[in-house]
Every structure is written in C-alpha cells, then in structure tokens.
Amino acid sequence: MDKKGNKNVYIVATIAAFGGLLFGYDTGVISGALLLIKTQFAAQGAKQMTPELQEWVVSVVLIGAMAGALISGKLADIYGRKRIIITTAIVFIFGSAISGLAPNVTYIITGRIIIGVAIGVASFTVPLYISEISPKKIRGALVSLNQLAITIGIFVSYLIDLGFANTHQGWRWMFIIGVVPAVVLGIGMFFLPDTPRWLMSKGKDKEAELALVKTAAPEDIEDELTSIKQLLLSEKNNKSTLSELFKPWLRPALIIGIGLMFFQQFTGINTVIYYAPTIFQIAGFHGDFAPILATSLVGIVNIVMTIVAIWLIDKWGRKPLTYLGLAGMVVALVILGIAFNRAEALGSSLKWISVGSIIIYIGFFAISLGPIAWLIMSEIYPLKIRGMAMSLATFSNWLFNFIVAKTFLTLTRVLTIPGTEITGTDGTHSPNPAGAFWLFAFMGIAGLVFTYFYMPETKGHTLEEIEEHWAKGKTARMLK
Ligand code: BGC
C-alpha cells in the first residue's frame, strides 16, 4: 500500500478520535468533580445537594447520551458524518462552558445533559466516520483508535481531578478543560473530507474521489469507487428507513450490534470504571489516596491493553480476541467472587487479590469487548441505513450502561448473603459485592455462547463485502 495514503489516513483517524477522548474525559471527570461540588453547594445550604441530586449530577450524562444517540442517527445519513461531528464539537464546548461556569446545581445539570447529548452523538459518529474512510486491512486498528482515545480520556480525567482536588472551586476547571479537545476536534474535522461512502450515496462522486485521494492508496481508488457504486446500485430497491433493519436479511446484524453492546455493559465494566475506589475501600484499603492510586493503575492497564488490541485486531481477528477477552474476564470475576465470599478468612490479602483481579479483568476487557463492540457495530450495517442503525445500537449501549450504573450499589446489597457483610476497621458493615461479581461472570459465559453463535468475523472484508453477505441471506457465523 502507498506510504503516503497510509500515513494520511492515520492522521485523519486520529483527529476524529478526539471525539473518543471527549467521551472518556467527560464520563470520567465527574467522580472527582462531584466531591468538590458537594462541598461547595452544601456550604451554601444543605438542601442543595441531597444524595438524589448527586445521583442526578452523575447520571444525567448517560440519559443525555441515550437521547443524543437516538436523535442523530438519521441526521448523520442526511447531512453527512463530518458535519455532525463538527456540530457535536460545538455542543461539547457549550456544555462544558455551561457546567464550568454554573452559578448553581441546576446549571451544572443542564450543562451535563448537553455534554451527554454530545457524547451520545460522538460515540457512534466517530467509529462510523473512521470505519468508512479506512482501508480494510487496517480498519480494525483505526476504528479502535477511538477506544484508545476513550481510555486515555478516562485516565486524563483522573489526573485532572487529582490536580485540581485542592483548588478553590476546582470543579470548574475540571469541566472547562473539556473545551480543549472539543476545539481540536471541531477545527480538525473542518479540514477533513467526509467519507467517500457517504459522499457517493449522495451522488457526490467527484468529492468522493477527492476524499479517496486523501485517504487511500492510489492503486486502490478505482476499485473502491467501483465497489461502492455497485453496492449503491444493488441497494436501489432498499428503503433508507429504519424498518429495513428489521427485515429478515438484516436480523443477524441487528442481533449482533445490540447483543455485543449488551455484553459489553452487563459484564460490569462500568462498575469498575465508576466505582473502583469504592470496591478497593471495601476490600480493605484505607483513606482516599491508596484506592485512587490503585484506580489509576487500572486506568493505565486499560490504555496499554487497548494498544495491544489495536496491534492484534487485524491480525488475529475480532472473534478470537472476543473469546480470549471474555474468558479472561470470567476468570477474574470468579476469583473476585470467591475472594469476597471468603473475606473474613483472607483478611488483609483480600485487598491485593481484588486489585490483581480487577487489573486482570480490565486488561481482558480492553483487548476484547472494549474496542470490538464499537468496531463490529461500525462494520455490519448496510450503507443506506448505517447511521440510523448505529445510532440504535449506540442508544442500547448507553441504556445498558445506565441500568448497570444505577443498580450496582443496590445489586450488591440485594445479592449479599446475610452474614457475609464486610466489616471495616471502623466497625461499619458494607454489603458484599461477591454476588454482583458472580452475576457478571455468568453474563460473561453467556457472552461466550453468544459470540460462538452470532458473531461474524469481519477481519479482512470490505464493508461492501459484509453487506453483500447479508444480502445473500447468510448467517453471521458463515462470515469468516
Ligand atoms: C465502553 C464504556 C467504558 C469504556 C472503558 C467503552 O468501550 O463503552 O462504557 O466506560 O469502554 O474503557
């Protein structure tokens, strides 16, 4: 492949991946910001910051993301991928400014909803954009740059939270810093082309060719143009409405897109991302510093193993990595389940076992469901309804995320066998998270079965080939 074409496409994908950075940063930043917001507004009147209100400050982002994902799918098909990403960057800037400059909690919540909407839109338009500009041989790695950016965003948000933890009204900075990647995304995208696939679907063949000149190897341009054109001809009789997705020929794509999102969320990833310090405290780490340090380690492993995934994803393929990742996650969850069940007997070794297994867990997540759920979703839907279909799968991701995040603490309480509560050094009793870990392990096993029966191997196929595969009425397992 031409060196220059290759290099350009990396730059283009990296700029788009700033959307992933915002996704990670803005979901991660709230844990630290909340502590300061609580103190400040409690000082102004205790009524302002009830636990319910705190929960709202945290979870409105997820609700906003659901809404954003759902409302913008059609827009990405009508107005193009590029315009939607630029608009999203502007929305991010507004949301960050409103929450950072907020005079009261209502403004913070409003700002966070707006940021949530932007996250929801970015979470599917960025993989969509990258997937459509990528050559098939490196598509897995390029789309996974978005997941890498998410993990970096989460980690940076922890560092910024630590950095401003002792600053007067530091939470304002925590939110406002989110403007920086949004500006890079907005300005960067302005100079990039829209995807050749979307441009051709709108009859803009000349612009599509120019876009290919910027991102593909010269010898591939002709082939790409022809196969997109052929696909569009064969799609002429398909409707560009979401109802197409519910037709029998696309049922496998519908199931796999939403199914992978289900398993990505219901194997418990965000209980670790949002509650790791709490889990580490229950396991026996004292104070605030040690649990936060352990959480940072989790963040680093998440980044490093996503890099490993990028390296392997186009070599080994999506399916082997999913098997490996899910199996590793199940083992780690079972160890956590056993360890917390035997908390009393393990004493102080529980904390080390919990850190070790959570690190193993996140490592295996990062090489599998982390990048792959988003990647597969960007590969399996037909061009005509790709934006809409991806927005539906993305909506389900945020809905599942919301359900798990909202119920985790209640779940640990309900699933605690009486008598197995964990006693802290100060004599307080915490519910035992073992039951929740067993439940997630069970979900992981169900995920393995799901992968075997329903997951296609998209490695090495063009998006057009994948669409043709469905059109021939073939099942997901038959795509190898
Ligand atoms: C998931 C997020 C998760 C993140 C962790 C993403 O793929 O969609 O819910 O917080 O990975 O790295």
Side-chain angles (χ1 to χ4, degrees), residues 257-419:
I258 295 178
L260 279 179
M261 293 310 186
F262 177 88
F263 289 108
Q264 191 199 55
Q265 293 300 322
F266 276 89
T267 43
I269 181 61
N270 286 312
T271 61
V272 170
I273 298 289
Y274 303 157
Y275 297 108
T278 314
I279 299 173
F280 291 141
Q281 266 171 352
I282 297 176
F285 282 103
H286 302 304
D288 291 332
F289 185 71
I292 293 180
L293 191 70
T295 306
S296 309
L297 202 61
V298 170
I300 293 176
V301 173
N302 197 11
I303 296 175
V304 172
M305 292 308 281
T306 307
I307 297 174
V308 175
I310 290 178
W311 176 53
L312 290 177
I313 214 155
D314 293 308
K315 290 197 182 84
W316 289 14
R318 292 53 163 153
K319 225 171 158 168
L321 277 179
T322 308
Y323 284 133
L324 176 70
L326 272 168
M329 286 164 73
V330 169
V331 171
L333 286 164
V334 167
I335 298 175
L336 279 166
I338 296 175
F340 274 94
N341 270 147
R342 300 166 147 259
E344 204 83 350
L346 287 170
S348 69
S349 26
L350 177 64
K351 58 180 186 233
W352 299 114
I353 298 177
S354 74
V355 171
S357 7
I358 286 186
I359 284 178
I360 295 175
Y361 168 86
I362 198 105
F364 279 104
F365 170 84
I367 56 159
S368 60
L369 286 178
I372 289 172
W374 295 110
L375 169 61
I376 292 276
M377 169 192 80
S378 75
E379 300 178 317
I380 53 172
Y381 297 117
L383 177 55
K384 244 190 171 166
I385 55 161
R386 194 169 287 146
M388 268 184 285
M390 284 179 68
S391 88
L392 187 67
T394 303
F395 166 77
S396 70
N397 180 285
W398 289 108
L399 176 68
F400 301 146
N401 185 336
F402 179 73
I403 295 172
V404 176
K406 267 287 204 217
T407 55
F408 177 62
L409 295 179
T410 317
L411 200 70
T412 54
R413 244 197 341 266
V414 175
L415 295 180
T416 297
I417 304 165

Side-chain angles (χ1 to χ4, degrees), residues 19-20 22-23 26 60-61 63-69 71-72 84-96 111-126 182 185 394 398:
L22 284 157
F23 171 159
D26 279 311
V60 282
V61 160
I63 298 174
M66 278 186 241
I71 56 178
S72 56
I84 297 298
I85 298 179
I86 294 178
T87 313
T88 309
I90 297 170
V91 178
F92 265 119
I93 294 171
F94 268 111
S96 307
R112 295 291 291 166
I113 291 183
I114 296 173
I115 288 179
V117 170
I119 295 178
V121 183
S123 58
F124 81 92
T125 40
V126 172
L185 177 69
T394 303
W398 289 108

